[in-house]
Amino acid sequence: MRVAIIGCGAIGSVLVEAICRGYVKTELVALMDICPERCENLTKSFCSEFPNISVCRNLGCMLNAKPQLVVEAASQQAVREYVPRLLQHGVSVVVLSVGALLDEHTLKAVKDASRVSGAKVYIPTGAIAGIDAVKALANAGVKRVVLRTYKNVKAFDPETLRRLGFGEVRERAKIFEGRGDIAVKLFPANVNVVAALALASGLIPWVEVYADPRLEKNIHEIAVEGVASTISIRVENIPHPRNPRTSYLAALSAIQLLKQLVGGETVVVGT
Ligand SMILES: NC(=O)c1ccc[n+]([C@@H]2O[C@H](COP(=O)([O-])OP(=O)(O)OC[C@H]3O[C@@H](n4cnc5c(N)ncnc54)[C@H](O)[C@@H]3O)[C@@H](O)[C@H]2O)c1
C-alpha cells in the first residue's frame, strides 16, 4: 500500500522510522509538514535507501505521489484543511488529531466526502484502553462518560494556562471541568481522547483536566456507565520524549493500525 504522512513531529517521526526500517511493511511515498525541513531530516535519518519519497509543501504535491492512505499526524487545522479533500480524491485517511471531529461542520464535511468517494477514515485509539468495549456498550446504550486527564504542566500551552488563571502552577491543579466539546477547543493538543470517547460512545464526555508540575506520566481515568456494563479505565502513559503532550502509546497505536491496514495479519484481535 502507498502511504503518505502529514506532520513530521513526534508521532510522524515514529511512523516514518517504523516504515523505513521495515517494521511496517508498506511503501512511504510522501511527507508533508509546514516545516518541510522536519520531513527532510527524517528521510535523511531513516529513509536514505528510499530516494523517491516526495517532501511536499502542499496537498497537490502529495496527491501527485498517488497515496492510497494518508496519515494525518499534524493538527486539528490540518484535519479541517486536508482530510475532506483527500477523501474527495478517494484517498483514505488515518486521523490522529481526532479532536477536530467533535466540530459538527468538520465531521459532516468528512462524512459527506467519505460517502461520495467510498474512502474511509480510521481513528487509532490505543492511547487509551477499552474503546472496543465502549463501542460494544453503545449498542445497548451509554448513560454517562467521564474523563479525568492528568498531565505535567509543561504539556499545556502556557498562554491557555494564563488565560484560565493558572499562570503559575506549583501543585496539582484542576484547570478545567466541563463539556468535552469545549475541552477539545481549549486544549486542542491535549485531549484527543475526548473525541475518541465521544465517537465511540455517542455521548459527549464530561471532562476534568489537571496540570501537575511533578507528574511524569500522562494519565487518563475514564468511567463509562451503560445499560450492559460499567467500565473503569486507567492508563498511565509515558510522554513522547519529543513532545510531552503526546503519549508514546499514541504513536504505537498508529503503528498497530497501519500494520492492520496494510494487511498481512491473518488473525485480527479487537473490534
Ligand atoms: N489520537 C491520539 O491518541 C493522539 C495522541 C497524541 C497526539 N495526538 C494528536 O496528533 C497530532 C500530532 O501529534 P504530535 O505529538 O506528533 O505533534 P507534534 O507537534 O510533535 O508534530 C506535529 C507536526 O505537524 C506539523 N503541522 C502542524 N500543522 C500542520 C499543517 N496544517 N500542515 C502540515 N503540517 C502541520 C508541525 O509542524 C509538526 O511538525 C496532534 O494534533 C496531537 O494533538 C493524537
Side-chain angles (χ1 to χ4, degrees):
M1 186 185 275
R2 295 171 66 81
V3 172
I5 298 173
I6 303 176
C8 292
I11 294 178
S13 56
V14 172
L15 292 177
V16 170
E17 181 176 2
I19 296 173
C20 287
R21 293 206 193 276
Y23 184 65
V24 178
K25 301 206 180 330
T26 193
E27 187 185 357
L28 184 61
V29 295
L31 296 173
M32 181 164 93
D33 197 294
I34 39 175
C35 302
E37 62 279 8
R38 293 194 180 154
C39 308
E40 280 148 15
N41 290 341
L42 284 185
T43 54
K44 267 189 220 136
S45 303
F46 303 118
C47 315
S48 51
E49 293 158 47
F50 308 98
N52 295 329
I53 299 169
S54 306
V55 172
C56 292
R57 283 156 201 270
N58 56 54
L59 201 67
C61 160
M62 183 155 267
L63 288 167
N64 281 340
K66 303 211 177 318
Q68 294 160 291
L69 181 76
V70 170
V71 181
E72 174 285 318
S75 60
Q76 291 193 16
Q77 172 63 24
V79 174
R80 289 188 283 273
E81 208 172 321
Y82 306 127
V83 175
R85 284 160 69 195
L86 286 163
L87 294 167
Q88 280 159 10
H89 282 84
V91 180
S92 292
V93 188
V94 173
V95 172
L96 267 303
S97 310
V98 59
L101 300 183
L102 269 199
D103 174 74
E104 50 183 86
H105 296 293
T106 309
L107 185 60
K108 183 174 181 317
V110 164
K111 282 186 171 170
D112 287 350
S114 168
R115 214 171 282 129
V116 171
S117 71
K120 294 236 173 350
V121 174
Y122 301 96
I123 299 166
T125 55
I128 45 167
I131 283 290
D132 52 351
V134 176
K135 274 163 65 181
L137 193 55
N139 289 299
V142 175
K143 295 186 210 155
R144 185 170 154 81
V145 182
V146 178
L147 166 72
R148 288 186 193 90
T149 290
Y150 305 82
K151 291 189 178 183
N152 189 288
V153 67
K154 283 196 226 118
F156 298 96
D157 171 40
E159 188 45 44
T160 306
L161 287 177
R162 251 192 307 276
R163 260 193 294 129
L164 294 173
F166 295 93
E168 207 169 324
V169 179
R170 289 176 190 275
E171 54 190 43
R172 177 175 286 188
K174 191 201 283 183
I175 58 170
F176 174 83
E177 176 166 4
R179 279 177 56 98
D181 47 349
I182 299 170
V184 289
K185 287 193 175 121
L186 266 178
F187 308 102
N190 295 105
V191 287
N192 284 287
V193 168
V194 173
L197 278 168
L199 292 169
S201 68
L203 280 189
I204 301 284
W206 187 255
V207 177
E208 294 174 24
V209 181
Y210 295 82
D212 184 335
R214 278 181 286 276
L215 195 62
E216 287 174 5
K217 291 182 177 158
N218 294 338
I219 299 177
H220 299 298
E221 289 174 349
I222 297 158
V224 183
E225 286 169 33
V227 173
S229 312
T230 301
I231 301 170
S232 303
I233 302 165
R234 179 179 163 92
V235 195
E236 295 191 8
N237 286 329
I238 302 292
H240 190 289
R242 283 180 48 186
N243 184 346
R245 293 182 294 269
T246 287
S247 303
Y248 182 39
L249 189 61
L252 297 178
S253 166
I255 288 184
Q256 179 56 27
L257 177 59
L258 270 189
K259 280 170 69 182
Q260 285 173 206
L261 292 177
V262 302
E265 301 215 339
T266 46
V267 178
V268 179
V269 184
T271 46

